[in-house]
Amino acid sequence: MTSTIAQQPRVLVVDDLQANLLVIDALLHGMPCEVVLVSSGNEALRLLLKHEFAVILLDVQMPGMDGYEVARHARLNSTTAHIPIIFVTATHESEESQLRGYGSGAVDYLFKPVNPAILRSKVRVFLELFEKRRQVADGLKALTDAYEELRATQAQLIQAAKMASLGQLVAGVAHEINNPLAFSLSHLDVVRRDLDNVDAALGETIRERVPDAWSRARDRLAETTVGLDRIRELVLKLRTFSRLDEGERMTVSIKEGIDSVLMILQHRLTPDVSLSLDLCEADEIECFPSLLNQALMNLIANALDSLGGPGRIKIATRRTVRGFSISVSDTGSGIPKALRERVMEPFFTTKPVGEGTGLGLSITYSIVRRHGGSLVIEDNEGGGTRMTIELPLTPGDSVS
Ligand SMILES: Nc1ncnc2c1ncn2[C@@H]1O[C@H](COP(=O)(O)OP(=O)(O)O)[C@@H](O)[C@H]1O
Ligand SMILES: [Mg+2]
């Protein structure tokens, strides 16, 4: 057996007489197969477990284990049960004996002296059968692979479609809120200024007549301003999510973006947090920098949130075959597999009311898609989460 012919289907020839083996070997010469000769049933069974065979030419009368016994054993093992067997026998068998052969799984008989043409044609049929079976198996494998790929793509498309329709909804809501919000804020400003004027015009005595009402009015006014400012911030986030404000497309260094984000988040980088950067050279890519910084900020903010105590955060950038990747890993609480898809939905949060808006990841997802890239969520080795933004070097037009 040499490796150059290892690709060819194997034919196993079993006969206790060396002379018979050599005859069959000679008769099969030139056929598209590798002929393997063995002189006992035991050896045959051993080889059958080691290699794949297209057909077995099996001598019936052998000392020790005879051909029927070998066939019976081969049939008992699921990996060898399907291999066709041609019994080779010296005499024309009685019908009873032939039935025994078929019962043990024989698919055919050949009689000695073997007729070369018949031998070759029978072997050829089984070689073809083997080849067809292999093709079907290959085809099946390709089909299964394609199906798996299709399923993955479909899941991505559904996610993208969901996000896109949410994006439209959110854009509409943000737009509708924006107008009344704008005039409320500006009216509030006018009221505050008027109140200041009134305050200055009122004499001490008059103010002292309604002290409670006066100070309550001022307090409520301040609270209303805080409330409206929160709404304004939320609307801003919603607009980003629905990509109303994308800024300009530019070629920038990712390292600079990371630096600027870390500067903004500096107050949260307490001594408890050990931050490490593993940034590659040549990290200039074409993108919407303000959007990308926001995406990064969300990932790093989430990583910080997840720690809830001492822990590590690592930011790494890499040039990849397809483009560029930015990953943020943390040693925090991790995300259960069942929540992997839901965490990207707008307003999905596990944080207490007032602490989380549930918009960080959906905005990040939307930004990454805008760049034609993808957001991958994985377990971090040793616990925690790794979020990776994968971007093409030149952003194509995104799918959604
Ligand atoms: N790095 C992380 N580690 C653990 N959980 C995370 C991480 N990032 C996101 N999550 C989970 O995803 C949810 C949604 O995140 P996000 O959209 O940023 O909203 P928010 O941070 O306001 O809750 C979080 O509430 C949290 O449960
Ligand atoms: Mg967040």
Side-chain angles (χ1 to χ4, degrees):
M1 276 181 262
T2 68
S3 58
T4 48
I5 52 171
Q7 302 284 41
Q8 291 199 315
R10 297 188 185 88
V11 175
L12 183 63
V13 187
V14 192
D15 199 312
D16 58 310
L17 293 179
Q18 187 67 16
N20 287 345
L21 287 176
L22 293 179
V23 168
I24 291 189
D25 190 28
L27 292 179
L28 293 177
H29 183 78
M31 293 197 66
C33 60
E34 176 188 350
V35 180
V36 180
L37 309 172
V38 296
S39 54
S40 76
N42 272 326
E43 209 180 331
L45 290 174
R46 197 175 54 75
L47 275 182
L48 280 173
L49 291 179
K50 259 171 82 180
H51 302 292
E52 209 182 6
F53 288 92
V55 58
I56 309 169
L57 289 166
L58 188 53
D59 183 27
V60 173
Q61 289 90 17
M62 292 188 290
M65 197 188 296
D66 73 6
Y68 295 140
E69 194 62 13
V70 175
R72 205 174 59 78
H73 278 291
R75 290 290 175 259
L76 286 178
N77 190 311
S78 64
T79 58
T80 55
H82 67 277
I83 306 175
I85 297 173
I86 304 175
F87 283 116
V88 185
T89 177
T91 53
H92 275 265
E93 296 265 326
S94 66
E95 220 167 71
E96 187 195 343
S97 176
Q98 278 196 26
L99 277 176
R100 197 181 150 217
Y102 284 112
S104 68
V107 273
D108 217 337
Y109 269 95
L110 270 171
F111 301 104
K112 295 179 194 172
V114 172
N115 175 318
I118 294 178
L119 170 72
R120 288 173 73 90
S121 99
K122 287 192 173 182
V123 168
R124 183 169 297 116
V125 167
F126 287 117
L127 289 177
E128 278 167 15
L129 189 70
F130 181 78
E131 192 49 41
K132 290 277 182 309
R133 192 191 283 238
R134 190 142 72 179
Q135 279 168 8
V136 169
D138 287 353
L140 213 62
K141 166 115 184 29
L143 212 61
T144 316
D145 289 353
Y147 177 68
E148 273 311 310
E149 208 179 304
L150 198 67
R151 265 175 44 137
T153 314
Q154 192 189 31
Q156 274 173 17
L157 280 177
I158 290 173
Q159 178 78 353
K162 207 159 70 181
M163 289 304 206
S165 56
L166 268 168
Q168 282 167 10
L169 180 78
V170 162
V173 172
H175 183 75
E176 290 306 320
I177 295 179
N178 217 27
N179 287 333
L181 180 68
F183 69 69
S184 296
L185 277 167
S186 83
H187 289 355
L188 205 64
D189 235 25
V190 174
V191 172
R192 192 183 308 107
R193 250 181 288 129
D194 284 351
L195 223 57
D196 284 345
N197 290 338
V198 173
D199 198 17
L202 289 174
E204 274 295 315
T205 48
I206 299 180
R207 205 182 306 142
E208 273 161 11
R209 260 193 243 157
V210 282
D212 290 350
W214 184 253
S215 66
R216 190 169 54 230
R218 305 222 69 160
D219 284 356
R220 296 294 190 273
L221 196 65
E223 275 173 33
T224 308
T225 313
V226 170
L228 286 182
D229 273 341
R230 262 196 221 153
I231 296 178
R232 185 174 52 187
E233 229 169 82
L234 191 68
V235 168
L236 215 65
K237 283 187 183 169
L238 292 178
R239 285 168 68 91
T240 312
F241 169 66
S242 57
R243 310 189 204 117
L244 289 176
D245 312 303
E246 42 186 45
E248 263 182 78
R249 191 180 275 211
M250 287 190 281
T251 298
V252 293
S253 150
I254 295 299
K255 184 184 175 309
E256 281 168 22
I258 292 173
D259 284 346
S260 73
V261 170
L262 289 176
M263 190 123 84
I264 297 171
L265 287 173
Q266 206 164 28
H267 66 285
R268 297 200 52 196
L269 298 171
T270 57
D272 262 0
V273 180
S274 118
L275 175 75
S276 65
L277 301 180
D278 176 8
L279 309 180
C280 68
E281 296 294 318
D283 68 345
E284 309 236 307
I285 70 166
E286 196 188 320
C287 62
F288 299 102
S290 64
L291 289 186
L292 202 58
N293 285 351
Q294 238 181 97
L296 277 171
M297 168 116 107
N298 292 336
L299 294 189
I300 300 171
N302 279 345
L304 284 163
D305 290 342
S306 80
L307 295 182
R312 276 171 284 125
I313 293 178
K314 180 177 167 183
I315 304 171
T317 58
R318 292 278 178 280
R319 286 220 159 233
T320 62
V321 186
R322 285 191 291 158
F324 199 83
S325 81
I326 311 164
S327 70
V328 178
S329 329
D330 62 64
T331 55
S333 54
I335 302 178
K337 286 226 159 49
L339 292 186
R340 290 276 156 89
E341 285 198 3
R342 293 207 56 204
V343 291
M344 293 202 224
E345 288 174 8
F347 306 112
F348 178 88
T349 181
T350 56
K351 292 166 194 171
V353 180
E355 271 179 42
T357 57
L359 285 173
L361 281 183
S362 52
I363 288 175
T364 303
Y365 173 86
S366 156
I367 290 172
V368 172
R369 295 286 295 179
R370 182 73 191 97
H371 287 82
S374 55
L375 178 64
V376 182
I377 303 179
E378 294 164 300
D379 286 328
N380 187 22
E381 294 128 40
T385 309
R386 180 166 63 224
M387 299 267 181
T388 309
I389 296 177
E390 287 174 355
L391 299 173
L393 275 188
T394 319
D397 276 328
S398 63
V399 189
S400 63

